[in-house]
Amino acid sequence: MKTNILHTLSHQELECFGDELDKLRQEVIADLGKRDADHIRNIIQKQRYSEIAGRALIHFSLNPISWAAGVGLLSTAKILENMEIGHNVMHGQYDWMNDPQLNSQTYEWDTVCDSESWRNTHNFEHHTYTNILGKDRDYGYAVLRLTDDEPWKPRHLFQFINYGLLSIFFQWGVGLHELETEKLRSGEITWKDKLPFIKRFTKKAAKQVSKDYILFPLLAGPAAPKVLIGNMLANLNRNLWTSTIIFCGHFTEKAQTFREDECENETRGMWYYRQLLGSSNFTGGKWLHIMSGHLSYQIEHHMFPDIPAHRYPEMATKVQQLCEKYDIPYNTGSFGSQFKTVLARIARYSLPPKKSAPLSPSVSGP
């Protein structure tokens, strides 16, 4: 018999837990101001300098060392833009500044995924239905089996290949996520239904490909090949980094999944509890957190997605205190240890379930 893990706390405990988190959220909102504006503008400045220096070094480099330094700087710029700037701005974390360049509804980031699609598939679907099987399409991205609640098929034996391809081409996977290929294959939707999305995606992808693989190489003249390869490597580095960070947020061994029926009539306190159980953090230094877009604090991000992410470290201390008070598990560990459990989980669910195998996290309880 399956255990409803969302009901391991009493209704009163869950509501008190939610009220205390709401109070923490209001305290931070009341304190937003110059410190937060300075943070994001400082990161934007560093990102722009890094991109200018990176593209210049790739273009004018006279030896492999300076060319590699250029690739590294351009990779850093792309990661900063996608993670600490684009992702967080599009969550509305800086809308209160009334800065048109930091508006969540108009910001367009440096990736083939158009922002309107991302706000639909990630900001709404993923953050509303976090780790609910069949509702949160970010869970496994329709190519990875990560729980025994999903029926095993022979193709899952090769899902490490899917994992590698998804990581290498991550921006394309995220960009095409709204296409819902699994529903196209089943006939639930038609290609005609997806025409508006396809037009938007094609327009954004063409712009990105033209910039990195046509415009900048042409500007380099005879040096076009090294610019083309440098841009390609910078995009690859960004793809591998962002996919690893994101997988560590929800695919770790202890991150739990939920059935749709478990979440019916969900209260605010239950919603917070589900976000906590379905997410995982990792520890590290200041710049590891910045380069991850502070998704190293995935738990706090899912509880407070529209709060400026650089506030998460101080909020995490209070969230952990609440978890201790209510005897709730708080999933965290080093970056390396959490990533190892991601790989172990992918490997474990590549194989068919065994009768003697431990229950999946979705049914084992916290």
Side-chain angles (χ1 to χ4, degrees):
M1 181 177 177
K2 291 189 174 183
T3 302
N4 189 328
I5 59 174
L6 291 173
H7 292 168
T8 53
L9 294 182
S10 70
H11 177 76
Q12 184 177 5
E13 287 174 325
L14 282 170
E15 295 318 293
C16 288
F17 179 61
D19 289 344
E20 296 202 59
L21 289 169
D22 278 341
K23 182 181 177 183
L24 172 60
R25 169 186 164 78
Q26 290 305 319
E27 288 174 354
V28 176
I29 288 176
D31 190 49
L32 293 179
K34 185 174 184 300
R35 178 160 72 103
D36 307 278
D38 287 347
H39 169 79
I40 192 63
R41 286 174 175 149
N42 181 46
I43 293 295
I44 290 172
Q45 186 180 57
K46 283 182 169 57
Q47 186 273 331
R48 288 176 178 170
Y49 288 159
S50 181
E51 179 170 0
I52 292 170
R55 291 197 184 279
L57 277 172
I58 292 173
H59 190 128
F60 298 108
S61 60
L62 299 175
N63 55 59
I65 294 176
S66 56
W67 179 82
V71 172
L73 284 168
L74 185 58
S75 302
T76 300
K78 284 179 173 289
I79 289 170
L80 281 175
E81 196 283 331
N82 275 197
M83 304 297 277
E84 185 68 4
I85 303 171
H87 172 269
N88 293 338
V89 167
M90 289 195 293
H91 264 297
Q93 295 182 5
Y94 298 96
D95 281 357
W96 56 272
M97 290 172 60
N98 293 318
D99 183 336
Q101 295 184 337
L102 298 174
N103 185 290
S104 63
Q105 300 305 304
T106 57
Y107 189 90
E108 194 58 68
W109 57 353
D110 181 23
T111 167
V112 298
C113 178
D114 83 280
S115 58
E116 181 180 339
S117 177
W118 184 87
R119 283 192 292 270
N120 178 41
T121 59
H122 177 88
N123 208 350
F124 172 69
E125 285 186 5
H126 171 60
H127 276 267
T128 302
Y129 305 113
T130 307
N131 285 29
I132 298 177
L133 300 174
K135 298 287 287 185
D136 178 8
R137 295 179 59 254
D138 276 20
Y139 195 77
Y141 291 94
V143 296
L144 298 175
R145 176 180 181 267
L146 299 165
T147 169
D148 278 338
D149 287 336
E150 180 182 345
W152 181 87
K153 297 178 181 177
R155 63 181 171 81
H156 292 125
L157 286 171
F158 309 100
Q159 68 174 358
F160 252 108
I161 296 174
N162 291 338
Y163 161 72
L165 291 173
L166 178 60
S167 296
I168 290 170
F169 299 104
F170 194 62
Q171 69 163 333
W172 294 93
V174 173
L176 288 166
H177 199 38
E178 192 181 336
L179 191 57
E180 300 182 285
T181 54
E182 71 279 11
K183 292 183 179 178
L184 285 171
R185 288 195 298 270
S186 68
E188 186 175 342
I189 58 175
T190 66
W191 285 97
K192 186 178 180 181
D193 296 329
K194 286 297 174 181
L195 273 180
F197 161 71
I198 292 171
K199 289 179 180 176
R200 280 189 285 111
F201 172 76
T202 303
K203 182 179 179 181
K204 182 67 190 295
K207 180 180 177 183
Q208 291 297 116
V209 169
S210 298
K211 174 172 68 74
D212 276 343
Y213 302 128
I214 297 176
L215 176 62
F216 281 113
L218 285 178
L219 290 174
K226 69 177 183 179
V227 172
L228 178 70
I229 295 171
N231 291 350
M232 189 179 297
L233 287 175
N235 281 321
L236 173 62
N237 290 336
R238 184 271 317 278
N239 288 349
L240 294 174
W241 176 256
T242 54
S243 61
T244 301
I245 295 297
I246 290 167
F247 292 174
C248 283
H250 294 291
F251 301 167
T252 56
E253 192 66 23
K254 294 180 181 176
Q256 302 191 26
T257 57
F258 314 94
R259 300 187 310 270
E260 193 172 350
D261 65 286
E262 290 178 311
C263 307
E264 291 178 351
N265 302 316
E266 191 174 61
T267 65
R268 181 71 171 170
M270 290 174 67
W271 181 84
Y272 274 126
Y273 190 39
R274 177 165 57 82
Q275 302 300 327
L276 173 69
L277 297 179
S279 306
S280 45
N281 289 4
F282 57 81
T283 57
K286 174 183 176 181
W287 274 98
L288 177 61
H289 295 310
I290 290 175
M291 294 297 284
S292 75
H294 285 90
L295 293 182
S296 47
Y297 292 95
Q298 191 75 240
I299 292 172
E300 287 69 26
H301 173 59
H302 266 262
M303 289 179 165
F304 315 106
D306 57 350
I307 295 291
H310 77 109
R311 294 275 192 156
Y312 294 157
E314 55 199 74
M315 297 179 82
T317 302
K318 297 179 180 177
V319 172
Q320 287 188 68
Q321 290 172 351
L322 287 175
C323 287
E324 291 174 5
K325 177 179 177 180
Y326 289 93
D327 194 24
I328 301 172
Y330 186 88
N331 185 353
T332 189
S334 69
F335 183 32
S337 64
Q338 291 289 59
F339 184 53
K340 283 181 182 176
T341 71
V342 171
L343 298 178
R345 187 165 189 158
I346 294 172
R348 177 183 176 188
Y349 292 107
S350 298
L351 303 173
K354 298 178 180 177
K355 291 183 180 178
S356 58
L359 294 174
S360 73
S362 66
V363 297
S364 59

